[in-house]
Amino acid sequence: TLKLHPKTTIDGVSTRLLAAGLGRTISPTTFLALKSTFAIGGLVLGALFGGAVAGAGGVLLLAIAAAGLGFIAPDFVVSSKARSRRDRIRAELPDALDLMAVSVEAGMGFDGAIAKLTEHMHGPLADEFGLTLGEIRIGESRQAALKKLADRTDTPELSSFVRSIIQADQLGISLGRILRVQATDSRLKRQAAAAVKEV
């Protein structure tokens, strides 16, 4: 597939790595190479193990099964990291929006509020906002940088926040009020999700 659709594959892998917080640690091509290495390693181990345990008949079967497992194992790791990172972002969002609301209400601009957030909070959400602030500072429009933030994190609550901020910008609505509403909304959603888990 890499030869047939290099862009689609690289873009897809890149998006998944960013969602898992690995986008700046491992490149899509390195990840794809890793998958191939694991597949080859699985093939060799499967063949050796199959030969020792199941004789000639089991070699091919075990080698193919182990190669397949080796190939998909990195995807499982990335998906699992992305899931737990999304959960952390959801959990951190209400407090982050409260902090931003306080900053905006104290007279700071939106970019200043993000800077304040990255100073006082640590974790995946603060990292993502830091990246967004960096993009705005090098000339990206706020709208484009926020849309990238929503795409990278793939979290409904954060996407809803981004839509509200873009709308507030376009309609000239008070950012402080929007941030307060979003903070309350994401806190209620978090409590509802926690209640569902307990049931």
Side-chain angles (χ1 to χ4, degrees), residues 17-22 24 81-97 117 121-129 148-162 182-183 186-187 190:
L17 289 172
L18 282 169
L22 299 168
R24 292 180 290 285
K81 277 185 86 69
R83 249 195 321 276
S84 66
R85 194 167 188 268
R86 268 197 301 271
D87 288 345
R88 276 193 69 192
I89 285 172
R90 275 197 190 103
E92 291 164 5
L93 190 58
D95 293 339
L97 295 184
L117 183 150
M121 286 185 77
H122 302 284
L125 183 60
D127 292 346
E128 287 297 343
F129 271 119
K148 279 187 184 176
L149 167 71
D151 291 343
R152 277 196 312 270
T153 52
D154 191 26
T155 310
E157 292 86 344
L158 203 51
S159 298
S160 164
F161 156 76
V162 165
Q182 286 293 314
S186 62
R187 191 166 271 116
R190 189 176 72 180

Side-chain angles (χ1 to χ4, degrees), residues 77-169:
V77 173
V78 168
S79 296
S80 164
K81 277 185 86 69
R83 249 195 321 276
S84 66
R85 194 167 188 268
R86 268 197 301 271
D87 288 345
R88 276 193 69 192
I89 285 172
R90 275 197 190 103
E92 291 164 5
L93 190 58
D95 293 339
L97 295 184
D98 277 339
L99 181 59
M100 285 172 74
V102 168
S103 302
V104 168
E105 284 162 359
M108 274 189 187
F110 184 72
D111 301 358
I114 294 180
K116 182 67 81 177
L117 183 150
T118 57
E119 281 169 30
H120 290 276
M121 286 185 77
H122 302 284
L125 183 60
D127 292 346
E128 287 297 343
F129 271 119
L131 195 59
T132 301
L133 185 60
E135 288 172 345
I136 292 169
R137 281 178 175 163
I138 58 165
E140 189 98 61
S141 75
R142 185 194 291 177
Q143 194 168 332
L146 284 171
K147 279 182 177 169
K148 279 187 184 176
L149 167 71
D151 291 343
R152 277 196 312 270
T153 52
D154 191 26
T155 310
E157 292 86 344
L158 203 51
S159 298
S160 164
F161 156 76
V162 165
R163 276 194 304 273
S164 299
I165 294 296
I166 290 171
Q167 225 168 10
D169 260 356

